[in-house]
Structure formats: C-alpha cells, structure tokens
Amino acid sequence: YTMKTVILAGGFGTRISEETGTIPKPLVKIGNIPILYHIMDYYRKYNHKDFIICAGYKSTEIKKFFLEINLQNSNLIIDFKKKTTDFVKKKHIDWKVNIIDTGEKTQTGARIKKIKNFIDDKCFMMTYGDGLSNVDISKLLAFHKKHKKIATMTAVRPLARFGNLNLEKSKVTSFTEKDSLQEGWINGGFFVLNKEVFDYIGDEEDCI
C-alpha cells in the first residue's frame, strides 16, 4: 500500500548558514547528493514514490533541482548534425513530485495545513527535508494502523555531544566515548498522519 509522502523543505537552515546562504537546507549535499534526494530515495525503497514537497525559503532552487534531475542523473548524447539530444539514464527515477510553495516564514503546522487539499488518502507520511534515518517505514506504517491513532511519531535517543570523564580529584579514572543519552527521547522526524490531523491545526502562518 502506497500513500503520499509530505516533506517539509521550507525552513531557513540557520544552523548551517555557511551552506544555506545560496541553497535551501534540503539541497545541502551528503556524498555529492542532496539530503532531499537521499530521503526520497529511502522512501522509494519502501515503494512510496508520490511526494509533496512543502517549499518556502529558496523554493525556486528546489524547483530547478527537479527540473534538471534528468540532466544530473544521466549521460548525455548530443548529435549536432541531427540536432538531437538524448539522455542515457544512469538511474531510473519513477517518483511523482508535487512542489508547493508554502511561504518563507511559515511555521511547521501551517505548512502542513497548506497541503490539505493535495491529500486524497486516509493517511499520509510526513518527514523533514533535512533528516536521514534507518527507520523501517513499513513497520512504522503497520504500527500506525495497529494503534489507530491520528498521528504516529518516531522517537529516538539523541547522541551525547561530548565524551564523558570520570574524575577523582585531578586524576582521570575512566573515559567514555560519545554515546546515546540514557535519559529522554526526542522527535525522530518520521511520521504517519491521518487526515483528521488537519482539524487540529490552525490557519495562522505561525502555527507550530
């Protein structure tokens, strides 16, 4: 069973501002491939290929990326004599992509509300355009259906930022490398939402 996958890709990306002065955060590259492409390719592995991208900041760059995606993923044969151009694809892309400009300063909830009319099925996937994970999408969907709630959110333990020292006065007795924090969970960024979620979101631009 496939459904639409909504990707929030409209934020300013202030935490990596050295990259996002010219491009939106979802187009920042990992291994020479934009984060957004990695995310979509991951969903495709679970047969989810129908995407709605909620664009905002530098939305034109996202549109350009998809308009040129054949160029980026193909070898090119140009016959100047015959005046023909042929794409010899290195990788077949069978996505359907709907790019919706949801505004530069729009908050998360308001972005989701703005794509309400593009959702046909009872439920849809939702994620952020700047986060990757190894979450099992099929298991996530099965969990959502089993519990019959309006919204299902993945939860993860954040990694500690620093190694941990145990001291006795000025003597280091042990050193533990960075590990998952043992207390607390955070939003893992991968959701399944029922259409009823729109009833809980206001119409204001700053609706979080």
Side-chain angles (χ1 to χ4, degrees):
Y1 174 63
T2 61
M3 61 182 65
K4 286 185 169 61
T5 299
V6 175
I7 302 177
L8 300 176
F12 284 100
T14 53
R15 280 175 287 187
I16 46 173
S17 56
E18 65 276 9
E19 292 280 352
T20 56
T22 55
I23 59 172
K25 186 161 54 171
L27 293 186
V28 172
K29 292 181 178 180
I30 298 176
N32 209 35
I33 297 172
I35 299 172
L36 183 58
Y37 187 103
H38 283 292
I39 294 168
M40 295 169 72
D41 200 41
Y42 188 75
Y43 272 98
R44 186 195 177 281
K45 288 180 173 68
Y46 292 90
N47 205 34
H48 295 284
K49 300 178 283 188
D50 193 347
F51 298 96
I52 297 173
I53 297 177
C54 298
Y57 174 66
K58 294 193 179 294
S59 61
T60 301
E61 295 303 314
I62 292 177
K63 293 171 185 174
K64 282 180 183 177
F65 170 75
F66 285 103
L67 284 172
E68 297 173 357
I69 203 163
N70 275 337
L71 193 63
Q72 298 163 6
N73 285 278
S74 304
N75 292 321
L76 199 60
I77 300 174
I78 303 173
D79 189 321
F80 290 98
K81 186 176 180 179
K82 295 181 180 177
K83 297 181 180 179
T84 59
T85 302
D86 294 311
F87 292 102
V88 183
K89 292 188 177 181
K90 293 187 290 184
K91 184 172 182 179
H92 179 64
I93 299 172
D94 56 354
W95 307 335
K96 178 182 177 184
V97 185
N98 200 332
I99 304 166
I100 310 299
D101 196 336
T102 53
E104 279 201 4
K105 298 180 180 179
T106 311
Q107 295 297 313
T108 303
R111 286 194 197 283
I112 296 170
K113 188 67 174 277
K114 287 188 175 187
I115 55 90
K116 177 181 178 181
N117 294 333
F118 295 90
I119 302 297
D120 305 316
D121 301 318
K122 180 182 178 182
C123 57
F124 59 98
M125 301 282 186
M126 194 275 282
T127 192
Y128 303 105
D130 61 354
L132 295 167
S133 173
N134 63 350
V135 63
D136 188 313
I137 301 296
S138 296
K139 287 183 178 179
L140 174 62
L141 181 56
F143 182 95
H144 177 78
K145 290 180 176 179
K146 178 181 177 180
H147 290 81
K148 298 179 180 178
K149 303 298 183 185
I150 292 174
T152 298
M153 176 181 71
T154 54
V156 297
R157 287 195 187 279
L159 289 173
R161 293 181 61 196
F162 308 103
N164 184 58
L165 291 176
N166 290 317
L167 300 172
E168 287 182 9
K169 295 185 178 178
S170 61
K171 181 182 178 183
V172 177
T173 58
S174 66
F175 176 78
T176 306
E177 192 48 271
K178 296 183 287 293
D179 201 354
S180 295
L181 296 177
Q182 293 305 305
E183 66 282 348
W185 294 84
I186 63 169
N187 175 3
F190 286 74
F191 301 78
V192 184
L193 304 173
N194 284 13
K195 283 185 74 173
E196 292 95 316
V197 75
F198 294 118
D199 298 333
Y200 294 86
I201 304 174
D203 294 318
E204 304 82 11
E205 293 286 303
D206 60 352
C207 184
I208 298 173

